[in-house]
Amino acid sequence: MIENNKTVLVTGAAGFIGYHLTELLLKSGYAVIGLDNINDYYDVNLKYGRLKNLGINKDQIADHQIIESNLHPDFKFVKMDLTNREMVQDLFKYEKINIVCNLAAQAGVRYSIENPYVYIDSNITSFINLLECSRHNKVEHFVYASSSSVYGLNKKMPLSTDDSVDHPISLYAATKKSNELMAHTYSHLYGIKTTGLRFFTVYGPWGRPDMAAFSFTKAILNEEPIKVFNEGEMSRDFTYIDDVIEGISKVLMKKEDGIDNYKIYNVGNNGPSSLITFIEAIEKATGKTAKKKLMPLQEGDMKTTYADIAGLQKDFKYQPKTGLEEGIGAFVNWYKLHYSL
């Protein structure tokens, strides 16, 4: 485990995965600096709600100001845009940061087709700023979010970190592959320990509204039609948030034991479910039948994802535990409670 005198910088701390990771690290007794620009890609009230659970109230937040939590003595939060090189450098200068977990990024495959420049700023410029600060401030471990989307047109299943990722089919995927290449370069040139985590379709409480679990649940409860892409002939390695956080925390908390400076791992459920099965699980949890609007495959979408998690199992004894029905049930319960339904 991480020694208690070390501080973890979690970027994207107001985001879905970042919030849950921050919560776990704090409950485990570790110091965390959370960073987020709180952009309006989706409902900012969700982001403020997550922060409130971490002891940061909306009316306290001001750009570039470090705020101390009123719930957790070892948590600080700063609203900051990682593209602001000088501000990021100042943060590293004045706060001793031992470990970086970069979960801040512009997400969304479809959104990247319409808004390409946002992805270069958020996913490339921000990433190099963090790498440079990590290099110059002797950060011990740089962990970052990659994505299953880097596998693109690969057809061999399950998708393995040994496979080529030379055929991304969205700009989002291309930026994530770029992150992996940049991390490799810094590991090689400067000896920085970097670990990339390719997440596979994460869902669960406090999830993003643009993702299927949230948007389908909302529509089904409101008796509105849902768009079922590729006429339902799709499958995903749906991974519950608790299992994802377990994977990240195992990587963060592992002490040096000969693992290479540069590593990539898949973080998934180790088995795909069809989109129709996913919808049926939501129907069961809500007690309502979905009105399905069958649609063609969207540009940039992969038909199937299926994670080979052998690397994470071997190095960290990782094993996902949450089945689809259990995970969807937990999400729907949270959704109804959060929106007072």
Side-chain angles (χ1 to χ4, degrees), residues 14 29 34 43 47 49 97 101 105 109-110 116 119 129 152 164 170 184 211 227 276 300 302:
D43 183 8
K47 300 180 182 184
I97 295 167
C101 187
V109 169
R110 294 163 194 159
Y119 287 76
N129 287 345
S164 168
S170 69
H184 183 275
M211 297 192 73
K227 294 180 179 179
I276 296 301
M302 299 166 66

Side-chain angles (χ1 to χ4, degrees), residues 41 106-121 171-172:
Y41 170 63
Q106 179 58 58
V109 169
R110 294 163 194 159
Y111 191 73
S112 70
I113 294 171
E114 300 168 3
N115 302 273
Y117 291 106
V118 175
Y119 287 76
I120 301 304
D121 292 340
L171 183 63
Y172 170 69

Side-chain angles (χ1 to χ4, degrees), residues 215-216 218-227 289-292:
S215 62
F216 285 0
K218 179 181 179 181
I220 290 170
L221 285 171
N222 291 332
E223 299 184 352
E224 297 170 351
I226 60 172
K227 294 180 179 179
T289 301
K291 299 176 181 178
K292 305 179 189 71

Side-chain angles (χ1 to χ4, degrees), residues 73-322:
D74 293 323
F75 181 57
K76 300 175 183 177
F77 177 78
V78 58
K79 182 183 178 186
M80 184 180 293
D81 194 320
L82 288 169
T83 61
N84 190 323
R85 186 191 310 175
E86 290 75 19
M87 288 295 178
V88 178
Q89 289 171 342
D90 284 347
L91 178 65
F92 277 79
K93 179 180 178 181
Y94 294 111
E95 297 285 342
K96 178 59 179 173
I97 295 167
N98 305 102
I99 296 163
V100 171
C101 187
N102 181 35
L103 301 173
Q106 179 58 58
V109 169
R110 294 163 194 159
Y111 191 73
S112 70
I113 294 171
E114 300 168 3
N115 302 273
Y117 291 106
V118 175
Y119 287 76
I120 301 304
D121 292 340
S122 296
N123 299 3
I124 302 295
T125 303
S126 296
F127 198 81
I128 191 64
N129 287 345
L130 284 172
L131 278 174
E132 274 291 288
C133 286
S134 297
R135 167 195 171 193
H136 289 293
N137 291 276
K138 296 181 170 53
V139 165
E140 299 168 17
H141 193 183
F142 185 95
V143 180
Y144 61 96
S146 186
S147 168
S148 60
S149 66
V150 300
Y151 290 108
L153 294 174
N154 288 15
K155 291 182 171 56
K156 182 183 77 64
M157 295 293 163
L159 298 163
S160 167
T161 55
D162 292 329
D163 298 338
S164 168
V165 287
D166 291 335
H167 307 286
I169 55 174
S170 69
L171 183 63
Y172 170 69
T175 62
K176 288 300 185 179
K177 180 184 176 182
S178 298
N179 289 168
E180 295 179 359
L181 294 172
M182 293 159 74
H184 183 275
T185 301
Y186 271 66
S187 289
H188 174 74
L189 289 176
Y190 309 115
I192 299 173
K193 182 180 179 184
T194 67
T195 305
L197 303 174
R198 293 174 178 169
F199 298 133
F200 280 69
T201 317
V202 188
Y203 73 98
W206 291 101
R208 296 200 334 250
D210 61 314
M211 297 192 73
F214 199 114
S215 62
F216 285 0
T217 297
K218 179 181 179 181
I220 290 170
L221 285 171
N222 291 332
E223 299 184 352
E224 297 170 351
I226 60 172
K227 294 180 179 179
V228 182
F229 291 103
N230 204 39
E231 299 185 348
E233 295 298 316
M234 299 175 70
S235 59
R236 290 287 181 269
D237 205 333
F238 295 104
T239 314
Y240 189 64
I241 185 63
D242 289 359
D243 293 327
V244 170
I245 297 306
E246 181 194 358
I248 302 171
S249 63
K250 282 180 178 291
V251 170
L252 282 175
M253 296 177 182
K254 185 85 167 182
K255 289 185 176 180
E256 291 289 345
D257 62 353
I259 293 176
D260 294 342
N261 258 0
Y262 173 80
K263 291 290 288 186
I264 300 278
Y265 295 103
N266 287 334
V267 184
N269 196 48
N270 203 32
S273 297
S274 72
L275 187 57
I276 296 301
T277 299
F278 185 74
I279 294 168
E280 288 172 349
I282 299 175
E283 289 176 323
K284 182 177 180 180
T286 59
K288 289 180 175 284
T289 301
K291 299 176 181 178
K292 305 179 189 71
K293 183 178 181 181
L294 301 182
M295 305 284 288
L297 186 69
Q298 285 262 84
E299 281 186 299
D301 268 356
M302 299 166 66
K303 291 183 180 179
T304 301
T305 64
Y306 174 9
D308 179 345
I309 60 172
L312 207 58
Q313 288 174 318
K314 176 177 178 291
D315 289 346
F316 299 98
K317 295 182 170 54
Y318 170 75
Q319 189 58 49
K321 301 179 179 69
T322 311

